[in-house]
Amino acid sequence: MEYVLALGASLLWGSADFMGGNLSRRLHPVVVTFVSQAFALALVVVAAAVFAGYRAPGAYLWWGVAAGLVGAGSLAAFYRALATGTMGVVAPIAAAGVAVPVIVGLVSGERPGPLRLAGIVGVVVGIILASGPELREAMQRRRAVLLAMIAAVGFGTVYVCIAKGAETSVAMTLIAQRSSGVALMGLALLISRRLPVAGRRDLPVLAAVGAMDVGANGAFGLASTMGALAITATLSSLYPIVTAVLARIVLEQRMRRIQLIGVVCVMAGVVLLTI
């Protein structure tokens, strides 16, 4: 059952990324991030009330706020990258953010085994191979790769913040994260008054993006309590494949052979980093 849940998390995350990135072709990524995460916040608040209950502010608060601020900005950058670049290249690069917690562990004195070291090498080599042709293309594609790299660092930082906050309370960390992220994107919307407003027909898609994001978090969290974390994390980290496949089927996006090799290297590196 845990493996089904972990694969379900990959399916939900990959689908949400594709839908959010595709919608960002028409709407500004800040708008997409704000509305989808507002829906996600509402779901998290309800879930916490039903299953976990609320706790007074504690050590989780600042970690959650930091995760929300960094995560919201990273998600907006990621959506812009997906909207302007090749999704099959952008998604694996952003997934490479899993290397950040590994690096933090190294600085903290942890000594990863040879598999994780090989994973770091695989991620670096894969990013170079996958992004090389994009960096030689038009400015728009180069910007997409750079935004994906920024998103990767941001996502990796969020992993660390959530892990720290979860030591006190998982539910309250997620609420603090979503709340601060929505507040940041709301402030950005107020400052940038010229950004287009989401239409009524966009709301169901945005709600689906937020619901999938929350569902993926819940599925992964439940899977990690039922089985080995290394296996569930590995299966859950395959979501860029879903994004790439949807982009190929729906948008008919193609990648060069060297980019395919690079994507495989990145995904193999991500898998090794989670073992």
Side-chain angles (χ1 to χ4, degrees), residues 9-10 13 17 63-64 66-72 74-75 78 91-105 148 150-167 170 173-174 177-178 213 216-217 220 229 233 236-240 267 270 273-274:
S10 279
W13 268 322
D17 290 344
W63 290 113
L69 296 179
V70 175
S74 300
L75 191 59
F78 183 46
I93 291 176
V98 72
V100 173
V102 176
I103 294 174
V104 171
I150 292 173
V153 175
F155 291 159
T157 302
V158 170
Y159 296 152
V160 175
C161 292
I162 289 180
K164 292 291 186 180
E167 293 175 0
V170 176
T173 299
L174 293 178
Q177 175 199 12
R178 303 289 180 180
D213 189 21
N217 279 280
F220 171 68
L229 180 59
S236 297
S237 68
L238 301 178
Y239 63 89
M267 292 312 302
V270 169
L273 285 171
T274 58

Side-chain angles (χ1 to χ4, degrees), residues 15 23 49 100 120-121 124 138 151 185 191 196 265 269:
S15 300
L23 194 58
V100 173
I120 294 175
V121 174
V124 173
M185 292 295 101
I191 295 175
C265 287

Side-chain angles (χ1 to χ4, degrees), residues 68-270:
L69 296 179
V70 175
S74 300
L75 191 59
F78 183 46
Y79 283 159
R80 170 61 74 182
L82 288 170
T84 57
T86 303
M87 288 188 178
V89 174
V90 168
I93 291 176
V98 72
V100 173
V102 176
I103 294 174
V104 171
L106 284 172
V107 174
S108 302
E110 295 181 3
R111 290 296 175 263
L115 289 180
R116 286 194 173 184
L117 291 176
I120 294 175
V121 174
V123 166
V124 173
V125 172
I127 288 176
I128 293 173
L129 294 177
S131 61
E134 301 282 291
L135 292 174
R136 292 195 295 269
E137 295 288 343
M139 177 62 71
Q140 181 172 295
R141 290 187 178 274
R142 293 200 296 270
R143 186 180 294 116
V145 170
L146 294 176
L147 286 172
M149 292 179 179
I150 292 173
V153 175
F155 291 159
T157 302
V158 170
Y159 296 152
V160 175
C161 292
I162 289 180
K164 292 291 186 180
E167 293 175 0
T168 304
S169 172
V170 176
M172 296 307 296
T173 299
L174 293 178
I175 289 177
Q177 175 199 12
R178 303 289 180 180
S179 299
S180 59
V182 169
L184 176 63
M185 292 295 101
L187 179 60
L189 287 176
L190 289 176
I191 295 175
S192 305
R193 297 180 180 179
R194 296 182 180 180
L195 293 182
V197 179
R200 185 175 299 177
R201 64 179 181 137
D202 298 319
L203 293 181
V205 180
L206 290 166
V209 171
M212 287 181 179
D213 189 21
V214 171
N217 279 280
F220 171 68
L222 184 57
S224 64
T225 64
M226 298 171 63
L229 180 59
I231 298 176
T232 55
T234 298
L235 295 176
S236 297
S237 68
L238 301 178
Y239 63 89
I241 296 176
V242 179
T243 304
V245 170
L246 288 174
R248 179 68 183 89
I249 295 174
V250 179
L251 303 178
E252 297 183 349
Q253 290 186 350
R254 297 179 179 273
M255 291 184 288
R256 301 178 186 181
R257 182 175 298 177
I258 190 172
Q259 290 179 304
L260 288 172
I261 295 174
V263 168
V264 171
C265 287
V266 171
M267 292 312 302
V270 169

Side-chain angles (χ1 to χ4, degrees), residues 38-65:
F39 279 113
L41 172 61
L43 291 174
V44 169
V45 169
V46 172
V50 174
F51 299 108
Y54 294 102
R55 299 181 59 172
Y60 69 83
L61 180 60
W62 299 115
W63 290 113
V65 170

